[in-house]
């Protein structure tokens, strides 16, 4: 068993790099309680009929792992996301320009920490009050298709990105 | 210490949607019952509860362990650093990462502001 640098549990990180070859810090998760597995997606019922669940709970990857690492692992740090945005040459797009496939990042109140990420599936239109639908992964739970503001994360500080 | 203080339904909800250790820590610290637990418990009590392996694989067990870790971060830094050892937290996926997030979030940043220095975080 290979332990981490200070004797902590084994690293379960995998080789993941930006397009410029810089390593992306990551860790695969396996912690999910029997209750969470048993409850499955029932806990999301409070978000109403506007959401659609598209996968089972899975602790291996988180939202950033879904958005940027092919569902293989968890990426935690805002610095790592910024590294990806920079190296992969993502550019911010305005709400008016948003298209399906664009990445959406949810920031905390400070505007610095990236709390959540997902992928746009429908463009914002007047009919949807200019609110796009996105799919994203909620914690260790499932991937969910939801209106931008129909989720547990702060929708008032979001930014959209695209690789041009 | 009285763990019945904890608002478990709300903490379970936060835990279930936490994508990162820093999100978990920030939102657990905002939950008043976590602060209440911190105020009514010693650092050692909180740490031993967070590192207790029993019930680790139940949702309430995991939520309570992380709540105790979050409560611990309200304590004095030297007390936390004296207690915290990676081996103790090896059983919690995000145990050590939560403490690392606390170290980052509690690092003071100073910026020049007017005629003096102002702590912004």
């Amino acid at each position: 068993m290979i332990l981490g640098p200070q004797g902590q549990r084994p690293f379960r990180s995998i080789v993941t790099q930006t397009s410029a070859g810089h390593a992306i810090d990551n860790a695969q998760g396996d912690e999910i309680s029997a209750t969470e597995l048993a409850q499955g997606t029932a806990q999301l019922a409070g978000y109403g009929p506007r959401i659609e669940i598209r996968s089972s709970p899975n602790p291996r990857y988180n939202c950033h792992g879904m958005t940027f690492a092919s569902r293989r692992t968890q990426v935690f740090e805002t610095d790592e996301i910024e590294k990806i945005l920079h190296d992969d040459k993502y550019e911010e797009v305005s709400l008016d320009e948003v298209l399906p496939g664009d990445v959406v990042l949810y920031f905390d109140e400070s505007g610095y920490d990236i709390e959540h990420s997902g992928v746009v599936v429908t463009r914002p239109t007047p009919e949807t009050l200019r609110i796009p639908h996105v799919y994203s992964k909620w914690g260790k739970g499932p991937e969910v298709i939801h209106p931008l503001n129909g989720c547990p994360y702060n929708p008032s500080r979001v930014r959209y990105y695209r690789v041009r | 210490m009285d763990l019945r203080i904890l608002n478990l339904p709300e903490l379970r909800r936060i835990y279930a949607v936490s994508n990162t250790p820093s999100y978990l820590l920030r939102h657990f610290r905002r939950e008043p019952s976590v602060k209440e637990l911190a105020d009514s418990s010693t650092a050692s009590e909180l740490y031993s509860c967070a590192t207790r392996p029993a019930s680790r694989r139940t949702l309430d067990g995991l939520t309570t362990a992380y709540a105790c870790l979050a409560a611990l971060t309200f304590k004095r830094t030297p007390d936390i650093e004296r207690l915290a050892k990676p081996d103790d937290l090896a059983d919690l996926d995000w145990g050590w990462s939560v403490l690392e997030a606390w170290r980052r979030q509690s690092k003071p940043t100073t910026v020049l502001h007017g005629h003096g220095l102002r702590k912004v975080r």
Side-chain angles (χ1 to χ4, degrees), chain A:
Chain A
M1 176 181 290
I2 300 168
L3 295 179
Q6 295 171 55
Q8 68 265 43
R9 66 188 303 172
F11 281 141
R12 285 151 301 137
S13 65
I14 58 174
V15 175
T16 310
Q17 297 181 330
T18 68
S19 61
H22 293 126
I24 301 167
D25 283 347
N26 68 90
Q28 292 179 324
D30 65 5
E31 183 179 81
I32 190 162
S33 68
T35 318
E36 287 169 285
L37 281 173
Q39 284 183 340
T41 53
Q43 60 186 319
L44 308 180
Y47 291 92
R50 296 188 306 162
I51 69 169
E52 192 174 346
I53 292 159
R54 66 177 303 276
S55 72
S56 303
N58 187 333
R60 185 181 65 213
Y61 63 99
N62 66 354
C63 60
H64 303 324
M66 186 207 83
T67 306
F68 295 109
S70 303
R71 299 182 173 89
R72 292 176 183 140
T73 189
Q74 303 178 54
V75 179
F76 296 139
E77 303 303 330
T78 292
D79 289 351
E80 297 303 304
I81 305 301
E82 289 181 343
K83 187 196 298 178
I84 295 167
L85 295 177
H86 176 268
D87 284 3
D88 292 359
K89 299 189 173 13
Y90 278 87
E91 292 179 14
E92 188 170 354
V93 294
S94 68
L95 180 62
D96 290 336
E97 298 175 285
V98 164
L99 292 172
D102 288 342
V103 164
V104 58
L105 300 182
Y106 292 69
F107 290 78
D108 72 348
E109 296 84 347
S110 74
Y112 171 72
D113 198 36
I114 300 170
E115 288 197 336
H116 188 52
S117 62
V119 177
V120 173
V121 288
T122 63
R123 63 193 306 169
T125 62
E127 291 74 31
T128 61
L129 303 176
R130 294 167 52 78
I131 298 170
H133 273 63
V134 307
Y135 73 89
S136 67
K137 186 167 188 294
W138 296 9
K140 297 169 194 167
E143 294 179 17
V144 181
I145 300 169
H146 58 91
L148 176 85
N149 58 350
C151 68
Y153 312 101
N154 179 7
S156 64
R157 284 182 182 268
V158 298
R159 294 184 198 156
Y160 303 94
Y161 294 86
R162 181 186 308 159
V163 176
R164 298 272 189 190

Side-chain angles (χ1 to χ4, degrees), chain B residues 3 13 41 43 91:
Chain B
L3 292 172
R13 191 196 64 75
S41 311
D91 216 24

Side-chain angles (χ1 to χ4, degrees), chain B residues 7-26:
Chain B
N7 180 359
L8 270 182
E10 176 61 8
L11 292 169
R12 276 196 302 260
R13 191 196 64 75
I14 296 168
Y15 174 75
V17 301
S18 290
N19 290 309
T20 65
S22 57
Y23 179 98
L24 180 72
L25 176 63
R26 189 164 48 245

Side-chain angles (χ1 to χ4, degrees), chain B residues 54-112:
Chain B
S55 308
R56 190 49 55 74
R57 289 289 157 183
T58 67
L59 180 56
D60 284 357
L62 285 166
T63 305
T64 302
Y66 283 114
C68 287
L69 260 192
L72 179 67
T73 65
F74 285 108
K75 297 298 186 183
R76 294 173 61 243
T77 299
D79 293 340
I80 302 170
E81 297 294 4
R82 178 177 51 80
L83 288 166
K85 294 177 181 60
D87 279 354
D88 296 342
L89 294 162
D91 216 24
L92 276 179
D93 254 11
W94 289 0
W96 193 249
S97 303
V98 164
L99 289 181
E100 286 182 335
W102 161 73
R103 290 188 182 99
R104 276 195 310 278
Q105 290 174 19
S106 61
K107 196 187 299 178
T109 305
T110 52
V111 294
L112 281 175

